[in-house]
Amino acid sequence: MQNLLDKLNPSQQKAVTHTQGPLLVLAGAGSGKTRVLTYRVAYLIKECGVPPYMILAITFTNKAANEMKERLVQILGDDGERVWARTFHSACVRILRQEIDAIGYGRNFNILDAADAERLVKECVSELNLDEKAFAPKIVIPVISDAKDNMLSPGDFLKRFGNDYRYKNIGRIYELYQKKLKIQNALDFDDLITLTVKLFEENPSILEKYQNRFRYILVDEYQDTNNSQYRLIKLLSQKYQNIFVVGDDDQSIYKFRGANIRNILDFEKDFPNAEVVKLEQNYRSTQNILDAANAIIQNNTGRKGKRLWTQNGQGNKITLYTAFDEFDEARFVSDKILELVERGKTYKDIAILYRTNAQSRVLEESLTHSAIPYRVLSGIRFYDRKEIKDVISYLRLIKNTDDDLALKRIINEPKRSIGKTTVDKLALLAARYQISMFEALKRDEILESLQRAAGKLVEFRDMILSLKEMVNKVSVEELLKQTLEKSGYLQMLQESNDPDDMDRISNINELINGAAKFDETSDDPTFENYMDQISLVSDIDNYDDAQDTVVLMTIHSAKGLEFPCVFLCGMEEGLFPSLKSLLEEDGLEEERRLCYVAITRAKEELFISHAKSRLVFGKTEKSRVSQFVKEIPDGLLNKESAYEETPAVKVYDFTKPQPSAFTSSLLNMAKKEKKDFEFNFKKGDYVEHTKFGKGIILEITPVGNDYHLQIAFDEVGTKNLMAAYAVDKLKKI
DNA sequence: CGGCGACAAGTTTTT
DNA sequence: CTTGTCGCCG
């Protein structure tokens, strides 16, 4: 253990060796907070003799939970496995699967994701004959979510807001929504937390059981907790007060999801006798990067106050690039990446970050043209793809046949000639009998009244029941394969002519592989556990740096990650900070924290770019540089621009009129063209590329002032290159 | 009942 | 510009 402590600085040591009573660790970006968390767990077990199962370590993402688990196993061996290192959601699911009958739900509840919740809300709105636009899910769901976060039941909500027409109706939607969830024995994401709180508040003996069990509680990313999560923590830690939270008020970026920064700011008030440890030494970035981050964040009010420093040295200046438009920006990014790689960086050292997912497209195109391998951690989760959701819906229905949402999704997918009219009729009859739709399919009198369609419905019902028979008799992988077979889903895709369906099949194969992996690696590979796991993962959880590619993602997704080189794109007013944030109270401060998070992802090199104009909804809009960029001291920046070839040596001659931005950019582009184009290849030429080796040109297509080349290389396969970039690296052979 | 075409709306971030 | 939804027609 002493060796472990030797690896820590004095502040970190102080945190790790604090064992009794509440402690807040204010951990700046890159200050080694994961190390502190894991070492503290190790310290409790090894030095204080705390049994591992008495420790609960809570994180927000599965990735963080798995990372912590891995590191604990490294230090502690088997004892590491026995610590509960889980996300809020998965910890709650685990508790609810044991105890939820105490509050009137069945233990085999299904978990709805955001898309399901949206569909359910739409159903409610239409059943209540409310206007679909005024009560769109976008409006209704955040209100319901907020009500749940504050532990307001539909009744409480109506009592409090029932005077307002709009809120009264949202209250009615909430009421119906919750009723439907109950009938289907389903929980949404918020329910996982709030029902656990409700369970504990209404059942003191159950609460006490878990208080005794989890004698030591650790919470990561404490600044992201919302009200119900705070309440949960508070309840669980009430008896023994061993609550150890780690967070950074400057990195609170999830207000829109209910995160309440008050939780971290008021920790000392909430937990009397709390101690506070600040971790300010940064082990990640260069001093220049930290100076920029510090300069920006100090414009926020209501901070705990921290100033990051490092022994890593000053490092290079931050590059700031002023682009003509987003295409020029993308080209800058690609060019710089090629340069970095030439200087010895690998692709996986590089991340491209942006505010909104929509920005990725142009960047992707440019990367493709430059033959730079990349991955996008997209906004669409793997499990959100249609074909995956369809298949999962089968599994959900098999697991819990009362899941009407799942049933509706797949009852006619593939086509079984069970049309909308039939489904609506069935739903109506089920509602009349107060039972789920699948239950209705078991009643003769209901089937009779459906007449013509009854045969098909019975066929569907029996198919599901026969699959249900197999649950936990065969592996999850096998169950999945049987489902694809018996439902005819796979066959439908295989017989399709749509090229997209080929991708769908490969996605489904990936799902099968995932299930097989689950069967092999899970310590308890039941069907139920599999379903819980897939309900709670996101794409970022699957990010691994094993593949050597550049990675693109939103800043939100990048939280908790680090890269030697970071590109921060689209630093423009209205985009970042976003237009909407400027209208919200404290919105700008949240954006500034987001900017702080973005900058502190970089270890060595940081490139910031903004465009003078950008296409928005297909229209060209002028844009100004982000105010956050202006908050960075000039001395830290190395400015480059589409408008000037060599800004450092350029002498301005103010006696002559300056060219307008537009003309100067055109001049600049013309210059580039002249330089770049000595292009004398033709289709069928054998060529050698400095990176890809030998190949043959398959196709040359003019694109604007450039040429698109398709070249089949002997070793790396067929690549698409743009002549302007490739020409220097290509020669005829 | 299913497929296709027209039109509208939307881009902030997601466990 | 793209995606999703709605309505009409076969």
Side-chain angles (χ1 to χ4, degrees), chain A residues 146-281:
Chain A
D146 193 52
K148 288 187 177 182
D149 187 27
N150 290 303
M151 306 300 298
L152 294 176
S153 69
D156 299 335
F157 185 88
L158 281 165
K159 245 181 260 163
R160 192 174 302 185
F161 301 107
N163 296 327
D164 177 287
Y165 166 80
R166 207 176 160 82
Y167 279 101
K168 186 179 79 196
N169 282 321
I170 293 180
R172 289 171 62 209
I173 297 167
Y174 178 21
E175 197 168 30
L176 184 58
Y177 172 82
Q178 216 54 27
K179 190 176 146 204
K180 279 175 180 280
L181 283 174
K182 191 80 180 277
I183 289 176
Q184 302 187 33
N185 197 21
L187 271 58
D188 66 18
F189 275 126
D190 297 319
D191 285 338
L192 295 177
I193 313 292
T194 55
L195 289 183
T196 308
V197 173
K198 184 175 147 95
L199 171 81
F200 285 154
E201 288 185 340
E202 291 177 3
N203 299 274
S205 63
I206 295 177
L207 172 62
E208 200 177 357
K209 179 169 128 195
Y210 285 92
Q211 284 174 335
N212 290 335
R213 159 94 199 250
F214 298 124
R215 213 64 74 91
Y216 294 87
I217 297 169
L218 297 90
V219 186
D220 191 13
E221 307 278 15
Y222 187 68
Q223 76 283 354
D224 287 337
T225 49
N226 64 24
N227 295 332
S228 51
Q229 286 160 342
Y230 164 77
R231 213 144 148 175
L232 183 71
I233 300 289
K234 183 102 180 163
L235 282 166
L236 275 175
S237 64
Q238 214 166 44
K239 190 166 172 189
Y240 294 99
Q241 298 282 317
N242 291 320
I243 171 85
F244 182 103
V245 307
V246 181
D248 181 357
D249 50 324
D250 291 332
Q251 291 189 65
S252 165
I253 57 172
Y254 283 112
K255 187 177 171 202
F256 67 94
R257 212 169 61 193
N260 191 345
I261 194 168
R262 187 216 73 92
N263 290 347
I264 193 164
L265 295 178
D266 288 353
F267 183 83
E268 294 119 294
K269 275 189 215 152
D270 295 336
F271 295 90
N273 308 321
E275 285 193 46
V276 180
V277 174
K278 280 188 193 182
L279 305 181
E280 294 177 299
Q281 181 175 1

Side-chain angles (χ1 to χ4, degrees), chain A residues 180-402:
Chain A
K180 279 175 180 280
L181 283 174
K182 191 80 180 277
I183 289 176
Q184 302 187 33
N185 197 21
L187 271 58
D188 66 18
F189 275 126
D190 297 319
D191 285 338
L192 295 177
I193 313 292
T194 55
L195 289 183
T196 308
V197 173
K198 184 175 147 95
L199 171 81
F200 285 154
E201 288 185 340
E202 291 177 3
N203 299 274
S205 63
I206 295 177
L207 172 62
E208 200 177 357
K209 179 169 128 195
Y210 285 92
Q211 284 174 335
N212 290 335
R213 159 94 199 250
F214 298 124
R215 213 64 74 91
Y216 294 87
I217 297 169
L218 297 90
V219 186
D220 191 13
E221 307 278 15
Y222 187 68
Q223 76 283 354
D224 287 337
T225 49
N226 64 24
N227 295 332
S228 51
Q229 286 160 342
Y230 164 77
R231 213 144 148 175
L232 183 71
I233 300 289
K234 183 102 180 163
L235 282 166
L236 275 175
S237 64
Q238 214 166 44
K239 190 166 172 189
Y240 294 99
Q241 298 282 317
N242 291 320
I243 171 85
F244 182 103
V245 307
V246 181
D248 181 357
D249 50 324
D250 291 332
Q251 291 189 65
S252 165
I253 57 172
Y254 283 112
K255 187 177 171 202
F256 67 94
R257 212 169 61 193
N260 191 345
I261 194 168
R262 187 216 73 92
N263 290 347
I264 193 164
L265 295 178
D266 288 353
F267 183 83
E268 294 119 294
K269 275 189 215 152
D270 295 336
F271 295 90
N273 308 321
E275 285 193 46
V276 180
V277 174
K278 280 188 193 182
L279 305 181
E280 294 177 299
Q281 181 175 1
N282 172 293
Y283 296 93
R284 180 187 293 155
S285 311
T286 64
Q287 191 65 51
N288 274 340
I289 290 168
L290 295 183
D291 285 348
N294 282 330
I296 288 175
I297 200 67
Q298 74 178 17
N299 292 296
N300 271 7
T301 58
R303 301 174 59 219
K304 286 263 178 189
K306 265 189 284 68
R307 192 158 192 100
L308 296 179
W309 61 276
T310 184
Q311 292 176 342
N312 288 349
Q314 210 62 35
N316 290 336
K317 282 190 178 181
I318 296 162
T319 300
L320 173 65
Y321 181 70
T322 302
F324 175 57
D325 56 19
E326 72 265 40
F327 301 101
D328 182 45
E329 176 182 52
R331 190 174 50 196
F332 161 79
V333 172
S334 298
D335 284 352
K336 278 287 179 224
I337 289 174
L338 292 176
E339 220 179 287
L340 287 167
V341 170
E342 242 155 64
R343 286 197 341 236
K345 291 280 189 286
T346 60
Y347 291 119
K348 70 172 192 295
D349 290 339
I350 301 165
I352 304 175
L353 308 183
Y354 36 74
R355 181 67 236 270
T356 67
N357 277 309
Q359 287 167 253
S360 74
R361 272 199 39 178
V362 177
L363 291 161
E364 282 181 67
E365 278 164 22
S366 169
L367 293 170
T368 307
H369 287 164
S370 304
I372 296 169
Y374 69 89
R375 279 177 296 167
V376 183
L377 261 54
S378 69
I380 320 165
R381 290 160 68 221
F382 176 71
Y383 293 99
D384 280 346
R385 286 164 211 223
K386 183 190 180 299
E387 63 276 15
I388 302 299
K389 285 214 74 172
D390 285 348
V391 178
I392 301 285
S393 294
Y394 275 99
L395 298 183
R396 265 170 50 184
L397 189 61
I398 291 163
K399 172 164 166 285
N400 166 11
T401 51
D402 291 337

Side-chain angles (χ1 to χ4, degrees), chain A residues 458-483:
Chain A
V458 168
E459 223 174 278
F460 172 77
R461 179 196 74 191
D462 292 344
M463 183 255 300
I464 297 295
L465 287 174
S466 76
L467 288 165
K468 196 175 172 66
E469 282 292 302
M470 294 181 205
V471 168
N472 288 340
K473 287 188 187 134
V474 301
S475 68
V476 176
E477 181 191 8
E478 185 58 25
L479 182 67
L480 190 53
K481 282 182 171 165
Q482 290 287 334
T483 303

Side-chain angles (χ1 to χ4, degrees), chain A residues 532-561:
Chain A
D532 283 348
Q533 187 202 292
I534 61 175
S535 308
L536 298 172
V537 299
S538 72
D539 265 10
I540 190 82
D541 295 327
N542 295 324
Y543 169 75
D544 66 273
D545 51 14
Q547 294 175 54
D548 187 26
T549 68
V550 171
V551 60
L552 286 75
M553 67 182 101
T554 64
I555 303 166
H556 281 89
S557 301
K559 177 136 168 253
L561 302 176

